[in-house]
Amino acid sequence: YHKHIHEFSAQYPHLKFISSDNVGWNISPPFSRWGKYCDIVTGQVSPDCNPKAQRIAMIVKLMSDLSGKEAWPALHLESYPGIFSAAEVTAYLSEAARGGASGLQLWWASYLGALSGKGTPFRYDSGHPPRNEAVLQALRRWREDGKIKFPAPEFAVLVSTDTAWSRSHCNLHRHDHLFTLIGPVLGCSFKYISDLQIEDSDVNLKDYPLILIADSKIQNRATVASLQAYLDQGGKILSFDPEAFSFHTDGTLLAQEREKLFRKARFFTEPIKNYSAYDAAFLEKIRQELNDAGAHFNYPFWRFTFPAAPEEPPKFTEKCLTGNNGYFWMNQYIHAANNTTKGDSYSYNLRPDF
């Protein structure tokens, strides 16, 4: 599909083409292959994915890093019923920016009001105007300034598509935990790479002194062999998955390959957890491992936030003679204070337009 679009797009060089819209809770889409045939990658992800982790930032970074193209996620901020304030919307938009977003896909069903069945933006665009204004304000900033200028990555995190395809739709907790630890908590600069990139010869492992692994129980033998060669040439692997490289994609054991990897790679004995479950000594140990590989900490882009959009109810200076003026605020209908007593009437004598 994407290759066909790429061939078609050659006829229209002035247009930009966006990728298929995957369900962004999953990391399995082959973003690195999509990126060869489109200008922008997209995916759906919303605030309720995992409130204890910055999953929006993680998914956006996956899309951006693996595709090498602009990432425009569909965040559903215009329709998500759990948040209404401009401050909350701005926080999620800022999270997307920290992941590398440079725009948004505005979910058509929400903006057309299709989800409400009314064919209007009822409860979405109009449910709380400052919420919509916060989205538009971020889009204007992206258009004017582009995405955040990130420092060069100092190590890599391997995404196992083979394992992801064996997982359920939303089983991303290990990736959440590792991303939160090395990103928002320690403030490192890193890059996602995937087994598909290794398979397609689209990544040079020697560019990274250290590769971290969060979840890689199932992995094809060719990728494991490439990782072994990387270790033999002086690279380092730190696995937070004690079961990493247990099975080939056909279900056969990788016992010999795994035993050989164990001689040089470092494996933790328990799966990665939320950073809050670890004591200061463990976090210092991880910091030291990263420091030994040349990583730096507390990069300021992890603290980036968009300016808050103004959030004040509308003010009316004139009276509503029909007594029915109102507006939506925080998704609640407010009967405006400028209404006159019902039953009042008025007349006008303007000539009709036609």
Side-chain angles (χ1 to χ4, degrees):
Y1 168 77
H2 291 88
K3 187 175 182 181
H4 176 72
I5 285 183
H6 180 70
E7 294 169 351
F8 176 76
S9 68
Q11 306 173 51
Y12 305 94
H14 60 291
L15 298 179
K16 288 185 178 291
F17 285 81
I18 195 166
S19 73
S20 295
D21 179 12
N22 67 288
V23 179
W25 294 8
N26 205 329
I27 64 171
S28 59
F31 291 119
S32 62
R33 292 174 177 174
W34 289 2
K36 297 176 182 179
Y37 302 115
C38 61
D39 302 295
I40 302 164
V41 292
T42 188
Q44 296 182 56
V45 59
S46 63
D48 62 343
C49 290
N50 188 343
K52 295 183 179 180
Q54 293 192 25
R55 183 170 290 183
I56 287 177
M58 183 190 76
I59 292 294
V60 173
K61 184 168 177 59
L62 277 167
M63 293 192 295
S64 178
D65 284 358
L66 298 184
S67 70
K69 296 297 176 69
E70 292 187 57
W72 290 15
L75 301 182
H76 298 293
L77 298 176
E78 71 281 1
S79 63
Y80 177 58
I83 59 172
F84 303 111
S85 74
E88 291 172 296
V89 168
T90 298
Y92 287 118
L93 290 165
S94 302
E95 184 182 327
R98 292 192 291 270
S102 58
L104 295 176
Q105 178 202 166
L106 300 179
W107 188 238
W108 67 271
S110 297
Y111 271 87
L112 292 180
L115 296 181
S116 67
K118 295 182 180 296
T120 70
F122 178 72
R123 291 176 62 87
Y124 301 109
D125 183 356
S126 303
H128 186 48
R131 177 172 65 177
N132 189 56
E133 179 56 31
V135 173
L136 297 179
Q137 180 173 284
L139 289 172
R140 287 191 289 267
R141 287 289 299 271
W142 270 315
R143 174 169 289 188
E144 294 170 2
D145 303 332
K147 73 176 187 179
I148 295 174
K149 304 300 187 293
F150 296 98
E154 296 170 335
F155 59 93
V157 175
L158 177 67
V159 175
S160 172
T161 309
D162 291 334
T163 299
W165 283 341
S166 73
R167 298 290 193 198
S168 62
H169 168 62
C170 298
N171 196 339
L172 299 178
H173 300 300
R174 293 185 182 184
H175 288 280
D176 280 333
H177 298 333
L178 182 57
F179 177 85
T180 302
L181 176 61
I182 62 179
V185 175
L186 295 178
C188 298
S189 179
F190 63 95
K191 186 172 184 178
Y192 281 114
I193 61 175
S194 76
D195 48 1
L196 293 181
Q197 290 179 305
I198 296 174
E199 180 181 330
D200 297 341
S201 299
D202 288 336
V203 63
N204 185 355
L205 299 181
K206 291 188 292 185
D207 290 342
Y208 306 99
L210 173 67
I211 296 175
L212 304 185
I213 295 171
D215 192 18
S216 189
K217 183 177 182 178
I218 299 173
Q219 192 64 73
N220 66 79
R221 282 191 170 85
T223 296
V224 175
S226 296
L227 292 172
Q228 183 64 59
Y230 164 78
L231 287 170
D232 293 341
Q233 295 169 4
K236 296 180 180 180
I237 291 178
L238 182 60
S239 175
F240 292 86
D241 179 8
E243 296 181 308
F245 315 124
S246 293
F247 297 95
H248 179 53
T249 49
D250 62 3
T252 56
L253 291 172
L254 293 174
Q256 293 181 343
E257 293 88 345
R258 181 176 160 86
E259 181 182 356
K260 189 175 181 181
L261 281 169
F262 258 93
R263 298 172 188 168
K264 294 186 176 181
R266 298 279 304 280
F267 284 73
F268 285 96
T269 57
E270 294 183 355
I272 182 74
K273 302 175 184 176
N274 186 281
Y275 79 95
S276 61
Y278 296 120
D279 58 20
F282 179 85
L283 294 178
E284 182 58 32
K285 180 179 180 181
I286 300 302
R287 181 187 289 271
Q288 190 60 52
E289 292 276 3
L290 297 175
N291 182 71
D292 291 345
H296 296 81
F297 307 96
N298 300 318
Y299 276 107
F301 71 84
W302 288 110
R303 299 189 296 274
F304 171 85
T305 57
F306 284 115
E311 189 164 20
E312 295 182 356
K315 297 178 180 179
F316 302 99
T317 58
E318 299 178 348
K319 290 291 185 180
C320 174
L321 297 179
T322 55
N324 61 353
N325 183 36
Y327 57 91
F328 278 91
W329 191 259
M330 295 290 187
N331 231 42
Q332 300 294 322
Y333 178 77
I334 307 297
H335 191 63
N338 69 326
N339 289 296
T340 58
T341 304
K342 288 188 176 181
D344 287 355
S345 62
Y346 66 95
S347 63
Y348 62 94
N349 56 7
L350 292 177
R351 297 180 61 184
D353 295 330
F354 55 85

